[in-house]
Amino acid sequence: MTNKIESLPPVAEMMRASGLEPKKQFGQNFLFDLNLTGKIAKSVPDIKKNIVIEIGPGPAGLTRALLLAGARRVVAIEKDKTTQPILSQVIAASDGKLQVIFGDALKTDLTDFDKDGYAVCANLPYNVGTELLINWLHKIADGTKIKSLTLMFQKEVAERIIALPGNKQYGRLSVLTNLIADAKILFDVPNTAFVPRPKVQSSVVQIIPNKNKIKSITDITKLEKLTAKLFGQRRKMIRGIIKTDWEKFGLSGTERAEELLPDMFLEISRNIPENLL
C-alpha cells in the first residue's frame, strides 16, 4: 500500500488534471508540503492502532500522509464532491484503508466508529473549525471514545483554545476544552504553506481527552450555555448578566468572565437554575 500511495502523482498535478480549485464557500486552503503533512500525521498518538477521522480532505494531501504514517484506517468526510476524481484514485491506492463519506461533517453520523473509538486529524476549514471543535467536546463529554484531536486552526483560534484566565484570548473555547481535555499547541504553520495563501497564520493543536476531568461534568449543554452567556458580554460584570446570589459561589458578582477559573464555571453550571441561562 505504501508504494501505491507514494507512486501517485503529486497533489498539485492531480488537481490540475481534474480541474480542482479551492472553493471559498467551503473555507478551503490546501496543503501541498509533504514534510508538513507528514509532520501532522506523525503527531497523531498511536496512529497505527487507530481509525482516524479526517475532515475536509480536499485533494488528499494530509490523507496520503495519514495512510503513509500507518493509520489503521482513514475515514475522510468531504463536503465538496468535485474532489471525487482525486479521492477515488487515493482510495484505489489505499488497499481498503481509506473510506470517503461525502457530506457535512457537522451532520455525519459516526456512531459506527464509537465502539472502538477513533482519533481525529484535520486541516479544518476555517469557516466551521470552532463549531466542529465544540461538537467534538460535546461528544467526548457524553461518552464518545474520541482518543485524540490533532487539528489545524487559525493561530488566533488555537491560542483561544489553550488560553488561561486573565489572558485576553481566554473564553468559551478555553473553558470547555480545559474542563474536558489537556490541550497544547504543537507547532505553528506559516500562511505560505497553503494554496490559496490565507491572510492569517495557523497552528496545529493537540487535544487529549482527560477521563478524570470528564467525570466531573454532568451537563455539558448547560455548561456551554453558561460560558456563551457570560463571555458573550465579557466586558460586563457577571451580576449584570445573570441575576443570582453570587455569594454562594464565593463571588461578589463584580467579577468578569475572563477572571473566573474553569472549575468555577463548572460549579456555577451545576448549581444555577436553567431558566437563568
Side-chain angles (χ1 to χ4, degrees):
M1 187 270 288
T2 299
N3 289 338
K4 290 181 183 178
I5 295 293
E6 288 179 337
S7 66
L8 288 169
V11 174
E13 186 178 316
M14 292 177 77
M15 281 187 64
R16 284 193 296 271
S18 67
L20 178 66
E21 294 183 358
K23 296 176 181 62
K24 190 173 183 180
Q25 70 264 36
F26 293 136
Q28 293 174 332
N29 296 88
F30 298 145
L31 279 173
F32 292 163
D33 188 323
L34 295 179
N35 290 327
L36 184 53
T37 54
K39 186 177 181 180
I40 296 169
K42 289 171 185 174
S43 298
V44 178
D46 296 321
I47 189 169
K48 294 182 180 179
K49 298 178 182 177
N50 282 314
I51 295 171
V52 180
I53 305 294
E54 183 191 5
I55 310 300
L62 179 57
T63 314
R64 291 197 203 187
L66 291 167
L67 292 166
L68 289 170
R72 183 177 132 204
R73 185 178 170 197
V74 177
V75 179
I77 303 170
E78 178 56 69
K79 196 171 185 178
D80 181 7
K81 290 186 177 179
T82 65
T83 60
Q84 189 164 4
I86 293 176
L87 292 171
S88 295
Q89 293 180 65
V90 183
I91 290 171
S94 73
D95 287 346
K97 288 194 172 185
L98 173 61
Q99 175 185 354
V100 176
I101 299 171
F102 285 98
D104 186 335
L106 287 165
K107 299 175 183 177
T108 301
D109 184 0
L110 295 175
T111 52
D112 287 349
F113 308 105
D114 287 355
K115 184 179 178 181
D116 293 333
Y118 53 86
V120 179
C121 182
N123 167 24
L124 291 175
Y126 281 169
N127 54 357
V128 292
T130 299
E131 192 175 357
L132 281 166
L133 176 58
I134 290 174
N135 185 45
W136 286 318
L137 292 173
H138 266 261
K139 287 181 179 294
I140 292 166
D142 289 337
T144 299
K145 294 180 184 176
I146 298 178
K147 299 178 181 179
S148 65
L149 299 158
T150 305
L151 307 169
M152 182 152 0
F153 292 96
Q154 295 178 49
K155 186 172 183 178
E156 180 185 349
V157 176
E159 290 173 343
R160 280 162 46 200
I161 291 167
I162 67 162
L164 298 174
N167 187 304
K168 66 178 181 179
Q169 301 283 15
Y170 182 67
R172 181 175 58 134
L173 282 182
S174 321
V175 173
L176 294 174
T177 304
N178 183 283
L179 288 172
I180 291 168
D182 300 315
K184 62 183 177 181
I185 293 177
L186 295 182
F187 50 88
D188 295 331
V189 180
N191 60 355
T192 52
F194 297 91
V195 176
R197 184 186 299 185
K199 295 179 181 179
V200 297
Q201 304 295 315
S202 297
S203 299
V204 175
V205 179
Q206 191 157 82
I207 300 168
I208 307 293
N210 185 317
K211 292 180 181 179
N212 291 328
K213 291 182 177 181
I214 296 166
K215 287 177 185 176
S216 302
I217 296 176
T218 54
D219 190 338
I220 182 64
T221 300
K222 193 176 178 186
L223 177 61
E224 189 198 340
K225 284 181 180 178
L226 174 67
T227 58
K229 192 172 186 74
L230 292 183
F231 282 110
Q233 302 178 71
R234 62 186 301 142
R235 293 186 179 181
K236 291 183 68 173
M237 293 185 287
I238 57 175
R239 70 184 182 191
I241 304 170
I242 298 175
K243 307 297 182 184
T244 191
D245 178 13
W246 288 108
E247 289 186 1
K248 68 182 179 182
F249 300 109
L251 301 171
S252 66
T254 60
E255 299 85 358
R256 290 173 173 78
E258 64 188 24
E259 300 173 50
L260 304 181
L261 294 171
D263 285 344
M264 179 55 69
F265 280 96
L266 183 59
E267 183 183 346
I268 295 168
S269 72
R270 283 174 174 166
N271 295 285
I272 201 164
E274 182 83 39
N275 66 322
L276 293 181
L277 302 177

